[in-house]
Amino acid sequence: MQDNYKRLKDAINKSNNIVIFSGAGLSTNSGIPDFRSANGIYNQKLKTNLTPEEIVSHTFFMHFTKDFYDFYFDKMVYLDAKPNIAHKYFAKLEKQGKVKAVITQNIDNLHQAGGSKNVIELHGSIMRNYCMDCHTYYDLKDIYNNKGNIPTCKKCGGIIKPDVVLYEEGLNSDDISKAINYIKNADMLIVVGTSLVVYPAAGFVNYFRGKNLVLINKSKTQFDSNADILINDDIKNVIEYLEKE
């Protein structure tokens, strides 16, 4: 394991075209649960027989909007979460000119809060919300302060929807193009905190043609055999090693 830590550190030092591809496991050290681990959202007991995937679907949102928001605010929105050591480290690499883009499946805005500038949010962000009728923008706090009710537009009375990609909805085509382009042109791709089972995002890894594909995740993924550097550990431990002089 230590050999892979050292190889990763050496590779980062030598590279000036790194792309970060992050998932929910990156934010667990900020107090946000991931989805598929033992303590993840998908393994928590719910008051309904529905699965979390069904609740965060477009169909459920349209037909049971209040129930959607009850689950959403309880399980997916963490206003007090702060960027952790990993978010800050990747932002520092970007400032040094090494990281060219952060591509994330996360909706928590912690990469930006940690200092990263070029962030592609494949699944949207909890911070942005729009009226479905007149498209008026609302900040998260605008709708969170009215928790317990269906958020509605002050201008037209329409229902407000978070700018997050729900199940049954497609990814933004511009985000897809930009993400694939960055990955294709990178010489190093660091995939961190994702089990790589959610498509189409997981399939983006197949576009990488560079020198070092790095996979950092607590559990195994279907892409492990493709990795040039594989580390099955908490990202916090990895970054602490990388930060050592």
Side-chain angles (χ1 to χ4, degrees):
M1 181 71 78
Q2 287 297 315
D3 286 346
N4 282 347
Y5 276 61
K6 186 177 186 304
R7 288 177 59 208
L8 174 59
K9 190 169 188 175
D10 290 343
I12 290 173
N13 287 338
K14 293 175 182 177
S15 177
N16 287 306
N17 190 352
I18 302 170
V19 170
I20 309 298
F21 186 96
S22 69
L26 187 70
S27 295
T28 54
N29 288 316
S30 295
I32 300 177
D34 61 10
F35 293 92
R36 291 174 175 80
S37 69
N39 297 316
I41 292 172
Y42 289 176
N43 289 310
Q44 295 178 15
K45 288 186 177 180
L46 304 178
K47 298 177 182 178
T48 173
N49 292 327
L50 296 173
T51 65
E53 291 99 327
E54 290 170 317
I55 296 174
V56 292
S57 69
H58 178 82
T59 297
F60 191 85
F61 174 83
M62 296 302 292
H63 290 91
F64 305 99
T65 310
K66 185 181 184 305
D67 293 326
F68 166 88
Y69 268 113
D70 288 344
F71 177 88
Y72 178 72
F73 284 133
D74 183 45
K75 303 293 186 183
M76 301 182 72
V77 175
Y78 292 82
L79 280 182
D80 296 328
K82 305 295 182 187
N84 61 50
I85 187 175
H87 297 107
K88 295 174 183 177
Y89 177 74
F90 293 140
K92 184 172 75 172
L93 291 183
E94 182 188 51
K95 193 172 182 179
Q96 293 171 355
K98 289 182 170 293
V99 165
K100 303 306 181 186
V102 173
I103 302 164
T104 186
Q105 295 171 285
N106 298 338
I107 60 174
D108 53 35
N109 196 57
L110 291 184
H111 278 295
Q112 293 93 325
S116 292
K117 304 298 183 187
N118 189 20
V119 181
I120 301 169
E121 297 171 308
L122 295 177
H123 295 155
S125 172
I126 62 171
M127 306 306 293
R128 301 185 300 270
N129 305 270
Y130 296 92
C131 172
M132 295 177 69
D133 293 332
C134 72
H135 309 295
T136 297
Y137 168 87
Y138 288 90
D139 186 76
L140 173 59
K141 290 183 179 179
D142 293 334
I143 66 170
Y144 192 83
N145 291 337
N146 196 30
K147 194 168 70 165
N149 299 304
I150 296 175
T152 54
C153 181
K154 294 177 181 177
K155 288 186 177 181
C156 74
I159 293 175
I160 296 171
K161 181 182 181 295
D163 187 19
V164 298
V165 179
L166 305 178
Y167 285 98
E168 303 169 347
E169 295 178 346
L171 304 187
N172 179 282
S173 58
D174 287 341
D175 289 338
I176 292 174
S177 297
K178 287 191 289 186
I180 290 174
N181 188 56
Y182 275 114
I183 289 172
K184 285 173 68 173
N185 291 295
D187 63 24
M188 185 175 190
L189 177 63
I190 301 178
V191 182
V192 55
T194 173
S195 53
L196 291 172
V197 297
V198 177
Y199 283 82
F204 293 177
V205 176
N206 291 320
Y207 289 94
F208 180 64
R209 298 291 182 267
K211 297 177 183 176
N212 288 297
L213 173 59
V214 181
L215 297 186
I216 305 171
N217 198 50
K218 285 184 178 180
S219 57
K220 295 180 179 179
T221 79
Q222 60 180 320
F223 288 89
D224 284 4
S225 60
N226 298 336
D228 299 295
I229 301 174
L230 176 64
I231 299 176
N232 291 129
D233 197 0
D234 190 321
I235 182 61
K236 179 175 180 287
N237 299 330
V238 179
I239 301 301
E240 287 177 348
Y241 176 89
L242 295 174
E243 294 265 56
K244 289 179 183 176
E245 295 297 332

